[in-house]
Amino acid sequence: MKYPIGIQDFKTVRTNDYFYADKSALLYKLVKGGQFYFLSRPRRFGKSLLVSMMECYFKGERELFRGLAIEHLEKDWFCHPVLHLDLNAEKYTTQQALVSIISGQLSRWEGIYGKNEREDTLSERFKGIIQRAAEQTGQKVVILIDEYDKPLLQAIDNKELQEDYRATLKAFYGVEKSMGAYIQMAFFTGVTKFSKVSIFSDLNNLADISMDQRYAEICGITEEEIHLYLDEEVGKLAQKCQISKEQCYEKLKNTYDGYHFDADTVGVYNPFSLLRTLDSQTFKDYWFETGTPTMLAEALKRGDYNLEELLQEEVTADLLESIDSIDVNPLPLLYQSGYLTIKGYDERFSTYRLGYPNDEVERGFTRFLIPYFTAIRPTQTSSFVANFVKDVEQGRVNSFMQRLETLFADGDYQVMGDAELYFQNAVWIIFKMMGFYTEVERHTTDGRMDMLIKTQNYIYILEFKLDKSADEALRQIEEKQYAKPFEHDTRHICKIGINFSTKTKRIDDWKVE
């Protein structure tokens, strides 16, 4: 089977016999149900392929839909003029960059539908194109804006530039409401959603289907679709991995499934990682190999955010649907970017509980954070974790404690702000990473952390203190009898007391019993 990895053109997928999970019934429901839409989905989730399918549909290219559900649903295949603007594949580093890109696209459309010399601004030119396209073809115009938020995200740390982009896009996108009589449908996609006040205020009739249960499956691949279209391929993967097909389905589910775009909706697989796995016949964290925006880590650092609270907070839909407050709360950005997903809903308080969608995201995101909250450089992360785990498994206490000390060894990597929170986040990350390879439990006692690590031959009880002493940490282990549950365990028990100095932001004392 041929997999459309990196291919976002619907015509290419259909004419070259690539795998395609039929979403055309949802497309039909969408185009018949409204006029102005917005959809937010994580990167590499099939948004651009969906937009390309819409373009083919509205251009009346019926032959591309043969064998799909919409072939039997649609009776009238009209050809509409389609204005497709893709903002994804550009760099937005200056005020002129966005204007140049939009102006260039407008010029191409003007080459088709003509230009009125009195139209000077981007908005005026866009209005003229829409009206002329409708009048010349006798059909209303379809407007497709793919990755509308790319300029805003690239300028997220440059307030002046972002405000300039907001003003430009607000005026440009706002044209569509005033030209509604000439528009058949307008569809916006993006990874994130900036508030309607700042970008879409003039498009107050825009229907946001990002958390609409009816369209939860419009991007991505469901388990039902895997069984329907890819069962034979899963069997081949199982054979390659020397596991049963049932075990292979379970591993695929744990690794790549679990995205929910509202409460009580079917889980959706990350299509990029799933198809890469079936194509290569190897399980890997493919989504993370394509890069993770540094703005995520920067947002967590700027807000002095306690990483352990990522999975403990409950948030409202209003908060999840806008990233305008990321300096205060990074959860909306993490959710919209696909690093957290909806795990439950409290109807009484109208709040959502979030969590990692799957193992790939939890493992990859934790590994990604290590260089941002410790002294470990990105190129050292994998080897550091591997050696740390090996030391723990083999009982080399002095060695793994020395490695733990190196986490805080270089001031250039230290996170500014609250020293206690810095220490808690750094230790949480490294032991979270260890948890993918061995059994780690973490508890909070009297506002301080203790850690329990279990391997085949060892049990480690670690108590952390701030601005006190390793002796005091060891005394707490004894006084609170942390080792008592393991008194009949045959494994060797190591008690480790550790003190962290908030002044130097380093481990300054540790002892082992």
Side-chain angles (χ1 to χ4, degrees), residues 170-181:
K170 179 182 177 182
F172 184 73
Y173 296 151
V175 165
E176 298 179 36
K177 184 177 181 181
S178 64
M179 300 299 291

Side-chain angles (χ1 to χ4, degrees), residues 231-262:
D231 186 70
E232 183 178 345
E233 305 303 312
V234 173
K236 294 177 183 177
L237 177 62
Q239 187 175 15
K240 165 69 163 47
C241 297
Q242 299 182 338
I243 57 179
S244 69
K245 184 186 285 188
E246 291 72 21
Q247 289 172 320
C248 192
Y249 268 114
E250 185 68 19
K251 187 170 183 179
L252 285 170
K253 184 177 184 65
N254 291 337
T255 309
Y256 307 121
D257 190 18
Y259 291 89
H260 296 270
F261 301 105
D262 198 1

Side-chain angles (χ1 to χ4, degrees), residues 436-502:
F436 299 122
Y437 306 98
T438 189
E439 186 178 356
V440 178
E441 299 176 21
R442 182 173 179 278
H443 310 279
T444 301
T445 305
D446 297 331
R448 294 293 180 259
M449 298 187 300
D450 60 43
M451 191 78 58
L452 179 67
I453 306 173
K454 300 177 184 178
T455 69
Q456 183 177 358
N457 299 311
Y458 296 90
I459 295 176
Y460 299 90
I461 300 171
L462 296 85
E463 180 63 30
F464 298 90
K465 291 294 180 184
L466 293 170
D467 298 324
K468 293 184 180 177
S469 68
D471 287 328
E472 188 167 344
L474 288 173
R475 279 199 301 272
Q476 181 169 321
I477 293 175
E478 294 301 323
E479 291 171 359
K480 299 207 172 185
Q481 299 184 320
Y482 290 154
K484 187 173 179 58
F486 313 105
E487 59 186 0
H488 299 300
D489 199 298
T490 58
R491 287 173 287 188
H492 181 74
I493 297 175
C494 290
K495 304 169 188 176
I496 306 175
I498 302 168
N499 185 67
F500 178 81
S501 168
T502 56

Side-chain angles (χ1 to χ4, degrees), residues 15 87 190 205 276 300 302 355 403 432 459:
T15 57
L87 295 178
N205 56 342
R276 282 290 305 272
L300 289 169
R302 274 198 308 267
R403 294 186 193 280
K432 182 73 174 175
I459 295 176

